[in-house]
Amino acid sequence: MSEHTITVAGVAVDTRHWIGGERVASAGTFTDVSPVDGGVLGEVARGTAAEAAAAVAAAREAFPGWAATPREERARVLHAIADGVERRLEDLAVVETADNGALLRSHRRGVMPRVAHNFRFFADWLLRLGHEDFDTRGHTNHVDWDPAGPSVLITPWNAPLMLATWKVAPALAAGNSVVLKPAEWSPLTASLLADIAAEAGLPAGVLNVVQGYGSEIGDALTAHPDVRRISFTGSVPTARRIAASAAANLTPLSLELGGKSPLLVFADADLDLAVDLAVEQYDNAGQVCLAATRILVEETVAEEFTRRFVDRASRLRQGDPRDEATDIGPTIHPRQLEKIEGFVQRAVEAGARAVIGGHRREGQYFEPTLLAGVAQDSEIVQEEVFGPVLTLQTFGDEEEAVRLANDTRFGLAATVATGDEERARRVTGRLVAGTVWVNCFFVRDLRAPFGGSRHSGVGREGGTWSFDFYCDLKNTVTSPKGWRDHG
């Protein structure tokens, strides 16, 4: 075992970059700390502009060969990567839980299987990607999806590997080479992915992984003139910086940003279902961009809804995410915990009332919290907290419900609980959101478009939409005239 290899939950992880099919160290490192117990996991290579340039150069060199690889072979390699993920599912699950604090049971049963599915789905979609030829005054139009080129993918810490492969899989399927930059708070499973991809036969340089801080390596990646696509999931301020960096080269961007999504509970809803949906928003300690953190309840059922919610939420178990009985784990980082606590303190000082929770606990834990008595224009209602903090507001009628739901700068998702099918159609048609769930939550299908409106993002990915982004679409128009007779 090399000096650059650490052992996390019994799994060996190389902490160097993966560039051009080789492990590459940096002069500096950063410390990776587990949110589970505050223990140091190891020192991770801290990339700079030099590593960024090397990674893009490797991707540029590898791109022509991978782009020219037949679709069937690209799909085969992606399926082989999925096979590797499934073989190492337990390794990936335990390492990611140690690295970002999400529930081990969720990683085992849902998240890591979804990682494998990401590769299988886009491999299969690639093989049926196409558009029927069509006629224009006797001329034939033929549409192609041409690989765009080296792609920089910058991913967040809340679901590190799943969200990384949501980008990596379609980019590779499209024929692009990739430079993946994982979040510095949770970089380890990206390193394991590099090993899995190499073992699956992905050519050197097609997937590169570089670690480090955005200010030190991210800017060098997003401003690089050889980069043809940038996909980012994260905060609005960082997205602005990336967009400004990419502007000089007119590099196309896909941005999936923050959310402040509403859950609308109408009086005709199944209240037990509505309460279950509301409590589900505490998943991953509230560190979910899609979470419906603004609970909007019709006045006539607000008291009963609140009573049932308190009863249900009080039974949640918060603690060690490695324990199968735990429902809510820790916050990712002390800085994030301080941010959450600050939001709640300021809200209470402004007149909000904590129906449940409201305090941090020992370690990196914040209690599941529900705040009532909040004003629509208050910070706690308008800004993303990214923690286990929900707000409760009431509305008098459908018109007010829609107005309150749409009254933020975000538009990532929305959830509606109602027993009236006609109302569901009316309300969902008026909500500003990239995804709307009715009487359910977090049902995701890779065939569907995904992305946000307003400050929640730019563009859509999923199914053919992903290939539309990662490719240059080309239409070839052919005249029936002018062919030579070779007979």
Side-chain angles (χ1 to χ4, degrees):
M1 187 176 294
S2 81
E3 62 178 307
H4 302 288
T5 300
I6 61 175
T7 301
V8 179
V11 180
V13 184
D14 197 308
T15 59
R16 292 172 292 180
H17 312 288
W18 179 255
I19 299 174
E22 297 181 350
R23 288 293 175 180
V24 177
S26 289
T29 62
F30 63 90
T31 304
D32 188 19
V33 177
S34 174
V36 178
D37 55 13
V40 173
L41 296 174
E43 296 297 317
V44 180
R46 181 173 174 173
T48 64
E51 286 83 6
V56 174
R60 183 184 62 219
E61 183 177 352
F63 169 66
W66 183 243
T69 300
R71 287 187 179 190
E72 292 76 13
E73 176 61 13
R74 295 206 304 263
R76 186 197 65 76
V77 173
L78 263 64
H79 274 291
I81 295 174
D83 293 340
V85 168
E86 289 170 349
R87 281 194 300 270
R88 300 200 63 184
L89 190 146
E90 181 66 12
D91 290 350
L92 294 167
V94 297
V95 169
E96 189 134 300
T97 290
D99 207 16
N100 88 324
L103 300 184
L104 180 56
R105 74 180 191 213
S106 295
H107 283 143
R108 284 171 170 159
R109 300 172 190 173
V111 177
M112 296 310 163
R114 169 64 184 273
V115 168
H117 176 65
N118 285 344
F119 284 104
R120 296 200 192 282
F121 173 86
F122 286 107
D124 293 341
W125 199 268
L126 168 66
L127 296 182
R128 63 183 184 186
L129 180 68
H131 191 292
E132 288 187 6
D133 290 352
F134 54 97
D135 179 81
T136 303
R137 298 189 301 278
H139 297 66
T140 300
N141 292 263
H142 177 79
V143 177
D144 287 301
W145 280 260
D146 292 344
S151 301
V152 166
L153 313 179
I154 303 174
T155 55
W157 46 258
N158 59 320
L161 191 58
M162 194 277 285
L163 291 178
T165 57
W166 161 250
K167 301 175 186 295
V168 170
L172 294 180
N176 293 353
S177 52
V178 165
V179 179
L180 170 63
K181 192 275 182 194
E184 59 269 21
W185 285 354
S186 56
L188 299 184
T189 49
S191 180
L192 294 178
L193 177 65
D195 294 335
I196 291 169
E199 291 167 5
L202 189 69
V206 175
L207 172 64
N208 306 275
V209 178
V210 289
Q211 299 131 171
Y213 297 108
S215 59
E216 296 175 350
I217 192 169
D219 291 348
L221 290 171
T222 56
H224 201 293
D226 290 333
V227 170
R228 295 291 177 259
R229 293 292 186 273
I230 299 171
S231 181
F232 168 73
T233 297
S235 71
V236 172
T238 303
R240 289 195 178 103
R241 182 171 178 169
I242 290 172
S245 179
N249 301 310
L250 295 178
T251 309
L253 298 168
S254 176
L255 304 173
E256 195 262 279
L257 310 177
K260 196 67 181 177
S261 302
L263 165 56
L264 289 71
V265 180
F266 289 93
D268 56 24
D270 177 331
L271 279 192
D272 286 332
L273 171 62
V275 166
D276 284 345
L277 293 174
V279 173
E280 192 176 351
Q281 308 311 311
Y282 290 130
D283 181 51
N284 200 21
Q287 299 168 134
V288 178
C289 57
L290 293 162
T293 56
R294 295 185 295 130
I295 313 298
L296 308 176
V297 186
E298 195 162 353
E299 292 169 353
T300 55
V301 295
E303 183 176 347
E304 178 61 16
F305 173 89
T306 303
R307 184 189 69 77
R308 297 191 197 187
F309 178 92
V310 170
D311 177 68
R312 175 75 176 78
S314 66
R315 288 182 264 133
L316 292 172
R317 294 186 58 174
Q318 186 169 32
D320 191 323
R322 297 167 297 189
D323 187 335
E324 281 280 318
T326 297
D327 298 306
I328 300 178
T331 300
I332 180 76
H333 193 276
R335 197 159 75 216
Q336 184 67 17
L337 182 61
E338 291 170 6
K339 176 185 172 184
I340 295 166
E341 186 177 35
F343 267 111
V344 173
Q345 287 179 346
R346 291 190 297 273
V348 171
E349 290 168 0
R353 173 177 59 89
V355 179
I356 61 169
H359 304 92
R360 64 191 298 171
R361 297 175 52 201
E362 184 179 354
Q364 285 178 210
Y365 296 84
F366 199 90
E367 296 174 330
T369 298
L370 178 67
L371 299 176
V374 294
Q376 178 63 22
D377 62 355
S378 63
E379 176 193 54
I380 198 68
V381 170
Q382 293 294 324
E383 298 299 326
E384 185 176 43
V385 178
F386 222 62
V389 179
L390 311 179
T391 59
L392 177 67
Q393 297 170 272
T394 62
F395 60 85
D397 57 22
E398 191 175 298
E399 188 68 28
E400 185 180 15
V402 172
R403 178 179 62 78
L404 292 174
N406 288 338
D407 188 22
T408 75
R409 64 194 174 105
F410 297 104
L412 186 57
T415 303
V416 178
T418 178
D420 186 330
E421 192 172 351
E422 288 299 320
R423 166 174 279 152
R425 277 195 284 268
R426 288 195 307 271
V427 170
T428 57
R430 298 177 62 192
L431 293 175
V432 179
T435 300
V436 182
W437 287 285
V438 179
N439 295 329
C440 60
F441 176 67
F442 216 56
V443 178
R444 292 281 302 278
D445 192 312
L446 290 179
R447 293 172 294 183
F450 179 77
S453 303
R454 296 175 175 168
H455 284 201
S456 287
V458 175
R460 294 292 184 272
E461 295 187 42
T464 300
W465 291 276
S466 286
F467 288 94
D468 287 348
F469 173 69
Y470 288 110
C471 292
D472 289 322
L473 270 72
K474 177 173 65 186
N475 184 47
T476 301
V477 183
T478 303
S479 168
K481 302 176 182 179
W483 298 120
R484 293 182 181 179
D485 185 359
H486 295 284

